[in-house]
Amino acid sequence: MASPFPTPATLDEVVDPTRGLTAAEVERRTAAGQANAYKAETSRSAGSIIRANVFTLFNGIVFACFGILFVLGRWQDALFGFAAIANAIIGSVQEFRAKAALDRLALLNAASARVRRDGVESEIPPGEVVLGDILVLRAGDQLPADARVLSTRGLQIDESMLTGEADAIDKHEGDDALSGSIVVGGDGAAQVVRVGADSYANTFADEAKRFSLVGSELRDSINRVLTWVGWAIGPVGLLVLNAQMQAAGGWAEAWHTGTWVQAVVNTIASLTAMIPLGLVLMTSITFAVGAARLANRQVLVNELPAVEGLARVDVICLDKTGTLTEGEITYGDVTVLTETPGWRETLGWYGRAPEANATARTLQEPFGDEPAREAAETIAFSSARKWSAVSFAGADGTWVLGAPEMIFGAAATDAADPLGSIVIDRAASGRRTLVLGFAPASLTASQAEDEQLPEGVRPAAVLTFREKVRSDAAQTLAYFQEQGVGIRVISGDNPRTVAAIAREVGLDAAEGYDARTLPEDDAALADVLEQNLVFGRVTPDQKKRMVEALQSRGHTVAMTGDGVNDALAIKTADMGIAMNSGSPATKAVARIVLLDGKFSHLPDVVAEGRQVIANIERVSMLFLTKTVYATLLAVLFGVLVLEFPFLPRQLSITDGLTIGIPAFFLALMPNAQRYIPGFLRRSLSFAIPAGVVVALTLTFYTLTVRGGVDVDQLRTGATIILAVVGIWILGALARPLNRYKGAVVGAMFIALVVIFSVPLARSFFVLVDPGQDTAFVIALYGIVAIVLIEVIRAIQRRYVARTEAAGGTHALAGHPVERARRPVPVAIAVVLVYLGGLASALFGLLFLLSRYDVAEGEVVEVSLIGSGIMLFGLLSVAAASGLGRGSGLSRVFVTALAAILMALQVWSLIETHDFSGWSIAQIVLHTAVIAALWLPPGTRFFRPVLHAG
């Protein structure tokens, strides 16, 4: 390979590779600034974080409006500015926390460098490597600096993270070895030729850890909405300002009389309502909270947007060693096939060899006391060949140790062959098997150079090794299967061994698939992966190909692992997950690191991601609905030259209590549904029609009452309509209601009632008595809007269900596909409960508005009664929605409700002795509803209470 860099002039002196630099030379070069010390930025700088969170287009717009209102002395209407300030502060703080975590990760996980100095090998921090140092390279090492190979014994280096080349490269004397690359086979020595900032090491090793905005459909969709609003906000702002000035008597008159101040305030109210600042804030908070929760479970999220990737995973690929098993190999036993002199000494040499891998090192204890032998020629083990060989000085013959199938081919899998019989029997029990073979001829230098398997190899002994299965593996895999996440076990071991381990942890894997027979065609490979769960004898390149094949079939793939041979696949996967005990290279390319290495954290990882994204989709409908109706209101009132019906402070009421505050709680709720692409399409399918309904309702209301009431009464009525319809939209999107969501929705409704009832709040927000006639108009338009919102939600749920089903995917929570056709009696009961709930809501709204006509001392009582009746209607509609989905909990609630109402009617009949037809009709109606819910075929439609909702 051609050198990518010139040899520095400082290396004109020759360093003896067997001795290395002296202590004096190291000290001199360190003092001359030729050390590898380099402080890499593992995340964005403090300045870039602040710029990204503070100096944005929309923050500029919001802060400009904020400043204008302060200059005009209308600080009461500038409350929206605090949301932008909070957004900037929280976003910056969370990114600073992420930066600190990533910096700590880089410091704690810095790979050691092995150098030879004064003839002695030692491990030092990468920053202490100096120019001219002799690096001692072994499998699993990551080069800390650019170097030139001086000696090699089967040295293979993976430079894929630097060059994109998937195959490991055989290195020979004089070849360049780039920093950041990984030794995957053999051993050797290399001299450092470039260090510090001039080196590739920090650039590439830390680039994988760098805080970056990874691909995120949520973020991209939100940015798209912000872009749309950004293009519209200028012309819409001019349109609204002109309308407000015209409504104030014209530009000249408004300027002369000072009414231009109110026109500017109205314009700012319309513009700030268009910007979904809360959605940006909520997304940042939810990502950060998800990452913080995972950090508390010893799971480090290298990049906050990676939380979204967790939610989309539908196939997880597991490496057996270190994931399903604890990764520690212990020696089992040996079965001698042919008594060959020297086999015990050979195993002792393998156990003591400097380049011995974890499996070979376990031979040191049982065979370490055997007489030492001196190797003459060796072929180092590589994960691609899966065997190594050695010839000893003063003895004829070559010993080969490795995977039986890779050395003896079909004989190792033939039950009729003595070797195959033993290998099959050992592998089927879940033990790892290696074979020690012997060839009469010794290795020649050319054979060792070419890594040729010697001829005439015969099996001498079969060795077995044990891996301890993780105690949490079975329950973890059971969780994935319950959640609909496909599992593929991919390992370099014997397929039968891997299958045995898989069966032990609960997977239905009769026999593993031998990866040596995998098809080369990508489409055929994808078919094999769809049909099989367990794969053995998989090479590192095949792992990568398998991940890509699954991705080609539309799967979102997570890959776990801890070894160097997993790095390519982890990097290629949509979500790479590494164990903290794994190699530095593997952790460098992973998005998620399990700090304590516990496999049982993976369900937490997946569940957290699903909760974050599914809840963001739910709350996004709230924010986008507001953006739609605010934009449409601005356009309509601008075209119709109407005075904007809200003060900014009044919009703060509805924004905070029907969108912002409840969205915060809803975004942090448990939610185990898998995220499906199409977030913006699904959200807009509700937000656009719902926003249109809200905007048209407020426009028609304004056209109806203007001229008959003063401006404060008109604004109060508009605020009431927006508050009631907003809380109804919140309740519709929060369904199915449970205790938590019911408490959130109820608390927001009560808070609205308090604001409209407490004199101090009414004075601050300029809320007045709208008048009796206006109250009836408010109630009429409010109930019409509520009915239309219910229709839109029902249609949207079915639209999303059909489109997801047509795409072959499962729908999200909140968009379920009906599991069974609703029986006619149940459908009738649902309609009746819906109508009853809407009637209660209308009656509660009218009762609530009557508090403006009562004495001051009765306002609280009337408000409580009206809000209670309206909440009861809201809960009834939610229960009807649950009935439509077959919720057993909703059936119990409706039954209890109907029984109470029947008891009240019977009690009234007994007490008054007035057998009115209305009371009897209600008793009959409630009886019919209960019968429809509890008699066949209704009983077969509903789920048990414990699984409802």
Side-chain angles (χ1 to χ4, degrees):
M1 184 178 78
S3 174
F5 44 79
T7 303
T10 52
L11 288 181
D12 53 0
E13 57 182 297
V14 178
V15 177
D16 182 1
T18 63
R19 178 183 60 85
L21 297 176
T22 64
E25 289 172 327
V26 170
E27 185 176 352
R28 176 171 55 83
R29 298 187 184 204
T30 301
Q34 296 176 346
N36 199 40
Y38 174 69
K39 186 177 181 181
E41 287 291 342
T42 58
S43 55
R44 292 192 290 176
S45 65
S48 66
I49 289 175
I50 293 175
R51 284 194 301 272
N53 286 280
V54 176
F55 300 104
T56 65
L57 170 64
F58 288 98
N59 277 351
I61 295 172
V62 171
F63 289 139
C65 295
F66 188 80
I68 291 172
L69 290 176
F70 263 90
V71 170
L72 295 177
R74 298 293 290 270
W75 61 267
Q76 304 95 328
D77 292 312
L79 299 179
F80 61 84
F82 294 105
I85 295 172
N87 189 16
I89 292 175
I90 292 174
S92 298
V93 169
Q94 294 300 339
E95 289 196 28
F96 276 122
R97 287 184 176 180
K99 171 182 168 63
L102 295 177
D103 290 344
R104 287 195 300 271
L105 176 68
L107 178 63
L108 294 173
N109 293 328
S112 298
R114 190 181 297 105
V115 298
R116 184 177 291 124
R117 292 174 177 173
D118 290 318
V120 178
E121 290 184 15
S122 60
E123 292 190 2
I124 61 174
E128 295 181 9
V129 172
V130 299
L131 198 68
D133 252 329
I134 302 300
L135 299 176
V136 180
L137 304 176
R138 298 192 182 114
D141 290 346
Q142 186 172 29
L143 274 74
D146 300 331
R148 182 156 295 124
V149 177
L150 301 178
S151 62
T152 172
R153 292 192 301 173
L155 184 65
Q156 292 182 315
I157 292 182
D158 175 13
E159 297 179 341
S160 61
M161 286 187 289
L162 308 175
T163 65
E165 294 289 338
D167 297 328
I169 299 172
D170 294 324
K171 292 294 183 179
H172 306 284
E173 291 183 15
D175 287 347
D176 297 318
L178 301 178
S179 56
S181 57
I182 308 151
V183 178
V184 295
D187 60 78
Q191 185 177 14
V192 175
V193 296
R194 187 169 280 197
V195 294
D198 297 327
S199 170
Y200 279 75
N202 293 302
T203 303
F204 283 89
D206 293 330
E207 183 65 29
K209 299 190 189 85
R210 188 178 301 276
F211 182 94
S212 60
L213 295 178
V214 297
S216 164
E217 186 188 354
L218 278 185
R219 190 191 64 242
D220 294 344
S221 297
I222 293 171
N223 287 341
R224 195 179 311 153
V225 172
L226 292 177
T227 301
W228 295 341
V229 176
W231 281 104
I233 206 165
V236 170
L238 293 175
L239 179 66
V240 174
L241 178 61
N242 178 68
Q244 301 312 298
M245 297 294 277
Q246 296 297 336
W251 286 80
E253 179 69 16
W255 186 261
H256 180 71
T257 61
T259 53
W260 64 269
V261 173
Q262 187 60 51
V264 171
V265 171
N266 292 344
T267 303
I268 290 176
S270 67
L271 295 183
T272 54
M274 292 170 56
I275 304 173
L277 279 174
L279 181 56
V280 179
L281 174 63
M282 198 56 56
T283 303
S284 300
I285 291 176
T286 311
F287 275 152
V289 168
R293 284 175 173 171
L294 292 174
N296 291 334
R297 300 184 182 113
Q298 295 297 299
V299 177
L300 183 66
V301 180
N302 280 349
E303 305 171 36
L304 291 184
V307 176
E308 178 183 335
L310 308 178
R312 295 188 281 119
V313 167
D314 63 348
V315 173
I316 183 167
C317 298
L318 309 171
D319 178 58
K320 176 181 68 67
T321 305
T323 304
L324 295 183
T325 62
E326 293 186 353
E328 295 183 2
I329 305 295
T330 59
Y331 170 75
D333 57 24
V334 59
T335 302
V336 178
L337 296 174
T338 304
E339 188 63 46
T340 308
W343 68 269
R344 298 184 64 88
E345 293 88 339
T346 300
L347 292 178
W349 178 88
Y350 270 111
R352 292 188 296 264
E355 67 275 12
N357 58 25
T359 302
R361 285 195 296 270
T362 64
L363 298 173
Q364 186 170 358
E365 182 178 350
F367 302 103
D369 294 334
E370 300 295 332
R373 308 185 73 177
E374 181 182 352
E377 296 289 346
T378 63
I379 298 176
F381 177 85
S382 79
S383 57
R385 290 192 318 273
K386 300 189 184 301
W387 58 264
S388 61
V390 60
S391 292
F392 295 107
D396 293 330
T398 300
W399 295 92
V400 182
L401 179 66
E405 300 92 335
M406 306 301 287
I407 301 174
F408 296 101
T413 58
D414 185 0
D417 188 280
L419 171 64
S421 175
I422 294 175
V423 169
I424 292 172
D425 177 69
R426 300 296 191 272
S429 65
R431 283 178 284 179
R432 189 174 179 179
T433 61
L434 293 180
V435 65
L436 179 66
F438 181 77
S442 298
L443 280 174
T444 65
S446 62
Q447 286 178 323
E449 179 73 18
D450 296 338
E451 300 178 354
Q452 294 179 359
L453 184 69
E455 296 182 359
V457 181
R458 294 187 177 181
V462 174
L463 294 85
T464 63
F465 303 84
R466 294 187 178 91
E467 293 181 89
K468 184 178 180 182
V469 175
R470 290 183 179 270
S471 58
D472 53 6
Q475 66 184 40
T476 303
L477 293 185
Y479 167 85
F480 284 128
Q481 291 175 312
E482 291 171 0
Q483 295 299 314
V485 177
I487 298 171
R488 302 294 183 273
V489 181
I490 300 175
S491 174
D493 288 345
N494 185 301
R496 290 188 177 88
T497 303
V498 182
I501 296 292
R503 289 193 296 272
E504 189 173 342
V505 296
L507 288 181
D508 184 14
E511 187 173 348
Y513 192 100
D514 194 328
R516 292 173 301 175
T517 64
L518 284 173
E520 293 298 324
D521 179 70
D522 292 339
L525 176 61
D527 291 335
V528 171
L529 284 161
E530 294 283 1
Q531 298 165 6
N532 296 272
L533 300 180
V534 176
F535 300 84
R537 297 298 180 214
V538 184
T539 64
D541 182 56
Q542 284 178 319
K543 288 186 178 182
K544 177 185 175 183
R545 283 191 62 219
M546 294 165 86
V547 170
E548 291 174 333
L550 288 168
Q551 290 171 329
S552 71
R553 293 297 173 89
H555 292 295
T556 302
V557 183
M559 176 75 196
T560 70
D562 64 346
V564 173
N565 62 337
D566 300 319
L568 281 174
I570 285 178
K571 182 182 179 184
T572 304
D574 298 282
M575 184 54 52
I577 304 172
M579 305 295 178
N580 196 41
S581 58
S583 69
T586 305
K587 290 182 288 186
V589 298
R591 308 284 179 135
I592 301 292
V593 179
L594 304 181
L595 295 178
D596 58 3
K598 290 186 178 180
F599 183 50
S600 57
H601 289 318
L602 289 183
D604 295 334
V605 172
V606 175
E608 190 65 44
R610 290 182 171 186
Q611 171 179 321
V612 166
I613 308 307
N615 286 337
I616 282 293
E617 175 162 341
R618 188 194 304 273
V619 301
S620 71
M621 295 186 197
L622 290 172
F623 289 103
L624 294 179
T625 299
K626 189 199 89 165
T627 296
V628 171
Y629 73 65
T631 303
L632 191 55
L633 271 178
V635 173
L636 287 174
F637 276 67
V639 171
L640 297 174
V641 193
L642 296 173
E643 185 173 2
F644 200 68
F646 300 102
L647 293 173
R649 72 188 84 171
Q650 292 169 339
L651 287 176
S652 298
I653 301 175
T654 56
D655 286 356
L657 295 181
T658 68
I659 300 174
I661 297 174
F664 177 81
F665 290 100
L666 294 178
L668 302 181
M669 288 189 57
N671 197 325
Q673 295 298 318
R674 181 167 61 85
Y675 175 67
I676 299 170
F679 151 76
L680 188 58
R681 171 180 54 80
R682 286 192 300 269
S683 296
L684 292 180
S685 67
F686 174 83
I688 290 177
V692 169
V693 166
V694 174
L696 291 179
T697 299
L698 291 170
T699 302
F700 285 128
Y701 157 78
T702 303
L703 292 173
T704 302
V705 302
R706 72 174 182 144
V709 296
D710 64 32
V711 66
D712 287 338
Q713 288 178 310
L714 186 147
R715 288 172 179 159
T716 299
T719 305
I720 292 173
I721 290 176
L722 188 56
V724 170
V725 176
I727 205 74
W728 200 275
I729 291 174
L730 171 64
L733 294 177
R735 298 172 197 159
L737 293 180
N738 53 26
R739 287 176 296 178
Y740 182 89
K741 289 187 284 188
V744 170
V745 176
M748 296 304 103
F749 189 87
I750 292 172
L752 284 171
V753 172
V754 169
I755 288 176
F756 280 92
S757 302
V758 175
L760 182 62
R762 290 171 61 184
S763 174
F764 179 82
F765 290 107
V766 195
L767 301 173
V768 300
D769 182 357
Q772 186 175 14
D773 293 338
T774 305
F776 280 107
V777 174
I778 292 171
L780 175 63
Y781 280 112
I783 199 66
V784 169
I786 287 172
V787 171
L788 291 176
I789 291 297
E790 286 297 320
V791 172
I792 289 169
R793 182 58 171 159
I795 294 174
Q796 186 254 357
R797 288 170 60 88
R798 282 156 180 76
Y799 159 73
V800 172
R802 285 196 304 270
T803 55
E804 299 296 353
T809 57
H810 298 292
L812 283 167
H815 309 301
V817 179
E818 299 294 347
R819 296 182 176 273
R821 183 176 295 277
R822 194 179 303 155
V824 173
V826 173
I828 295 174
V830 169
V831 172
L832 292 175
V833 176
Y834 256 122
L835 293 176
L838 291 172
S840 295
L842 174 59
F843 181 72
L845 180 59
L846 289 172
F847 201 93
L848 194 61
L849 291 172
S850 69
R851 73 187 191 282
Y852 292 110
D853 295 329
V854 300
E856 187 68 26
E858 299 176 354
V859 169
V860 175
E861 289 81 357
V862 172
S863 298
L864 290 176
I865 295 172
S867 60
I869 296 173
M870 196 164 181
L871 275 175
F872 174 79
L874 181 68
L875 189 58
S876 297
V877 172
S881 176
L883 289 178
R885 292 190 302 274
S887 167
L889 191 61
S890 296
R891 178 170 64 160
V892 171
F893 170 79
V894 171
T895 301
L897 175 63
I900 292 172
L901 294 176
M902 286 173 59
L904 290 174
Q905 293 296 335
V906 171
W907 179 61
S908 68
L909 290 176
I910 295 174
E911 288 294 321
T912 62
H913 302 288
D914 180 14
F915 292 92
S916 68
W918 175 245
S919 297
I920 295 175
Q922 288 191 70
I923 293 173
V924 172
L925 180 64
H926 293 143
T927 303
V929 169
I930 294 175
L933 300 181
W934 289 95
L935 296 177
T939 52
R940 295 188 294 270
F941 176 70
F942 291 98
R943 299 185 296 273
V945 173
L946 292 179
H947 300 288

